[in-house]
Amino acid sequence: KSLNYLHLRLLHLPQKVPSLHSDFPLVWAVSHIPAELPSYMKEFFRLCDIPLSRLQLIDHPVRYKEVILPDISSRYFQDWTPEFLLPFRKAAENIPPAPAEKIYFSRKKWTGVAKCYGEDSLEELFVRNGFTPVMLEKLSLSQQIACIKGAKVLAGINGTAFHNILFGDSGKKLIFLNRNAEYDSQFVMN
């Protein structure tokens, strides 16, 4: 598995939630070990008061004298336990909310794979309706969390940006736009 945003938040963390508040190592099996952890991962663990020294990234077979497998706190595309949200709540607890109450997750300058045609017109429409466009990929994790905490309404085209709602309180209004006519099950994750 890679060390990307989606994997950290939705695939790896649910398996580790029960052990986040212990002294046991947190082990990740990855396809390659990067020279340095991505900045968002370092920041996330710092916000959760988890020292990076607890992380063990492995890319080859390893033996341990003892392995503790905690109960899983979520099942991908199905449900989660209240414990699943604990690391996200911990990371967000000391970050003050940003002032914008209506956020549009802009992809106007997105350089990734999934292009959004007509993004300029769509963003313009949301701005005319009082939304503040935010390009989350240009912000630090703390700034992203502040935006999510301050917003009452979050809007955008489906994508990883919506995973950030895990840092916010429940009760937020979401405007989740699909890219095409096909059913997109991503909203189930959120």
Side-chain angles (χ1 to χ4, degrees):
K1 304 254 195 278
S2 65
L3 292 175
N4 72 31
Y5 197 74
L6 170 65
H7 287 144
L8 170 67
R9 301 242 169 95
L10 297 176
L11 302 179
H12 292 298
L13 260 172
Q15 300 165 15
K16 292 165 181 43
V17 168
S19 58
L20 288 178
H21 304 292
S22 70
D23 292 331
F24 297 114
L26 298 173
V27 179
W28 254 288
V30 295
S31 56
H32 72 283
I33 297 176
E36 188 172 353
L37 285 177
S39 61
Y40 70 86
M41 284 185 81
K42 287 188 212 175
E43 188 173 4
F44 180 80
F45 288 111
R46 180 185 57 76
L47 291 169
C48 289
D49 294 325
I50 298 170
L52 292 179
S53 60
R54 284 193 52 209
L55 296 182
Q56 289 184 8
L57 303 178
I58 56 172
D59 63 354
H60 59 280
V62 176
R63 288 183 185 210
Y64 289 93
K65 181 179 179 180
E66 182 181 11
V67 175
I68 298 171
L69 297 174
D71 290 336
I72 194 157
S73 62
S74 80
R75 288 178 290 193
Y76 198 50
F77 285 114
Q78 293 180 33
D79 59 3
W80 59 75
T81 66
E83 292 80 16
F84 174 75
L85 294 175
L86 292 177
F88 304 104
R89 298 296 186 252
K90 175 67 177 165
E93 73 183 4
N94 293 316
I95 296 176
E101 291 189 3
K102 294 166 77 177
I103 298 285
Y104 173 70
F105 295 136
S106 176
R107 297 178 72 102
K108 193 174 191 175
K109 296 182 180 178
W110 176 248
T111 58
V113 177
K115 300 290 182 215
C116 298
Y117 300 101
E119 174 68 22
D120 291 343
S121 300
L122 193 56
E123 183 176 311
E124 201 175 287
L125 174 73
F126 276 96
V127 168
R128 279 198 315 263
N129 285 281
F131 283 77
T132 301
V134 173
M135 291 168 228
L136 291 178
E137 68 273 12
K138 304 290 185 196
L139 303 176
S140 70
L141 181 59
S142 294
Q143 292 169 319
Q144 293 177 38
I145 293 170
C147 286
I148 300 304
K149 285 181 71 173
K152 292 182 179 161
V153 183
L154 300 162
I157 297 171
N158 67 342
T160 303
F162 277 98
H163 300 319
N164 284 307
I165 65 171
L166 293 168
F167 293 108
D169 297 329
S170 60
K172 296 195 182 294
K173 186 176 192 178
L174 301 179
I175 301 172
F176 189 86
L177 304 172
N178 221 1
R179 287 177 225 264
N180 53 41
E182 293 178 24
Y183 169 76
D184 186 338
S185 58
Q186 178 173 347
F187 76 91
V188 174
M189 293 187 289
N190 299 322

